[in-house]
Amino acid sequence: MQPEKPQPDKHNHHKFPGVYISGNGPAVVMLHSSLSSARQWRVLEQALAINFTCINFDLLGYGTAPEVENKAAYSLATETSRILDVVEQLIGDQPFHLVGHSFGGATALKIAVENHSRILSLSLYEPVAFHLLKPGTEARAMVDEFAQQVSQLDHYKGAEHFTDVWNRPGFFKSLPQKMQALMAANIDKVNLDFIGLIGERYQAADYGAINARTLLICGRHSPIKAHRIIEILDASLANVNKVVIDAGHMGPVTKPELVAELMLSNINQ
């Protein structure tokens, strides 16, 4: 007789600030982009919750998640250790699906390469794994300049520059003032995100160890730096399907139904 598999403890999820648990079935861990929150996955979460247990994270410093305690020592491992600790408490050592966008996508890649035997599928929208862009290349120079600009501007100007680059010029000022203020308040975490993304040690060849079926979604209108990373991952991952859609970098927010349909198909295979 096989031991009974641990089930997600939905009644005690208040133990995990910034973690939202819904549905029943195999687990899907969901990771959002910088200056966003778990709410960006609402459409996908609703579609998944019929057959899957969604473990939808606010990443550190966003939404209702805790702040980063030791900012001087921050790296992507700061994010992944918290995520994996929560996942272990909820589902033990069961395998799980991974979903990620932008910063959350790069974080998902780190989880996948370090736990590749546990990953059932990987569904990524433009993971900004900036460490894959080699110093001296045009794309890396663009990233380094972008990170430096955001860090040197005041909070409002930094948030405006960051969101306009990933969306479109004028996007930040089109938002309600309350949303602008929230984004400005979170810009220090964005600067930490850049440090984690640029400082990660894995190379493209390391990601070849990920054997889970992987969906890479790319927006046709996204910045060059995002496209370059997709190209590197498409050439490096063992079991990959790349799909280009008519969107920009924020496709999971601007085209949530289309992105949800593609990711759901990958998860359901």
Side-chain angles (χ1 to χ4, degrees), residues 172-190:
F172 183 78
K173 286 183 176 174
S174 74
L175 297 171
Q177 285 196 337
K178 183 178 178 182
M179 183 65 71
Q180 293 181 24
L182 181 63
M183 288 181 163
N186 284 337
I187 205 67
D188 285 340
K189 179 55 184 8
V190 171

Side-chain angles (χ1 to χ4, degrees), residues 209-228:
I210 301 170
N211 48 25
R213 65 180 178 275
T214 301
L215 171 66
L216 289 178
I217 310 177
C218 179
R220 186 171 288 115
H221 311 295
S222 297
I224 291 171
K225 49 187 170 285
H227 283 193
R228 290 288 179 269

Side-chain angles (χ1 to χ4, degrees), residues 5-240:
K5 290 183 178 179
Q7 295 300 311
D9 186 0
K10 297 183 185 65
H11 298 294
N12 289 325
H13 66 260
H14 59 272
K15 293 191 305 183
F16 310 116
V19 183
Y20 305 92
I21 304 154
S22 61
N24 285 285
V28 182
V29 173
M30 311 169 78
L31 308 175
H32 63 80
S33 62
S34 294
L35 276 194
S36 187
S37 73
R39 293 178 63 189
Q40 77 162 67
W41 295 121
R42 278 181 297 183
V43 172
L44 177 60
E45 187 173 6
Q46 288 169 358
L48 285 168
I50 301 166
N51 297 308
F52 296 91
T53 296
C54 298
I55 307 175
N56 192 359
F57 281 82
D58 282 335
L59 294 168
L60 291 171
Y62 298 117
T64 61
E67 297 293 326
V68 175
E69 291 182 3
N70 186 353
K71 294 180 171 60
Y74 180 81
S75 71
L76 284 191
T78 311
E79 304 283 352
T80 60
S81 60
R82 167 186 173 243
I83 292 163
L84 290 168
D85 179 60
V86 171
V87 170
E88 182 180 355
Q89 291 186 63
L90 289 170
I91 65 169
D93 61 357
Q94 288 184 57
F96 55 93
H97 302 269
L98 258 176
V99 165
H101 168 218
S102 194
F103 174 64
T107 305
L109 277 169
K110 181 176 176 66
I111 292 172
V113 76
E114 293 176 350
N115 303 270
H116 50 83
S117 64
R118 292 188 63 192
I119 307 304
L120 295 170
S121 73
L122 192 55
S123 301
L124 305 176
Y125 194 105
E126 293 187 8
V128 287
F130 291 142
H131 54 282
L132 295 179
L133 301 173
K134 293 183 178 179
T137 62
E138 180 188 8
R140 178 58 180 267
M142 291 168 67
V143 167
D144 290 341
E145 182 182 10
F146 183 32
Q148 185 177 30
Q149 287 171 339
V150 173
S151 69
Q152 291 178 346
L153 293 167
D154 67 45
H155 284 191
Y156 261 88
K157 289 291 185 184
E160 179 180 11
H161 183 56
F162 183 82
T163 52
D164 283 5
V165 164
W166 287 128
N167 290 273
R168 65 179 189 280
F171 177 80
F172 183 78
K173 286 183 176 174
S174 74
L175 297 171
Q177 285 196 337
K178 183 178 178 182
M179 183 65 71
Q180 293 181 24
L182 181 63
M183 288 181 163
N186 284 337
I187 205 67
D188 285 340
K189 179 55 184 8
V190 171
N191 292 323
L192 288 180
D193 294 349
F194 272 123
I195 290 170
L197 293 166
I198 292 169
E200 183 53 52
R201 61 189 175 86
Y202 289 109
Q203 300 300 310
D206 297 320
Y207 293 127
I210 301 170
N211 48 25
R213 65 180 178 275
T214 301
L215 171 66
L216 289 178
I217 310 177
C218 179
R220 186 171 288 115
H221 311 295
S222 297
I224 291 171
K225 49 187 170 285
H227 283 193
R228 290 288 179 269
I229 294 166
I230 288 284
E231 290 167 7
I232 292 167
L233 290 171
D234 188 33
S236 305
L237 290 161
N239 184 9
V240 64

Side-chain angles (χ1 to χ4, degrees), residues 229-257:
I229 294 166
I230 288 284
E231 290 167 7
I232 292 167
L233 290 171
D234 188 33
S236 305
L237 290 161
N239 184 9
V240 64
N241 175 33
K242 185 179 84 168
V243 176
V244 180
I245 66 170
D246 188 28
H249 181 68
M250 296 306 294
V253 176
T254 61
K255 300 279 182 76
E257 291 83 7

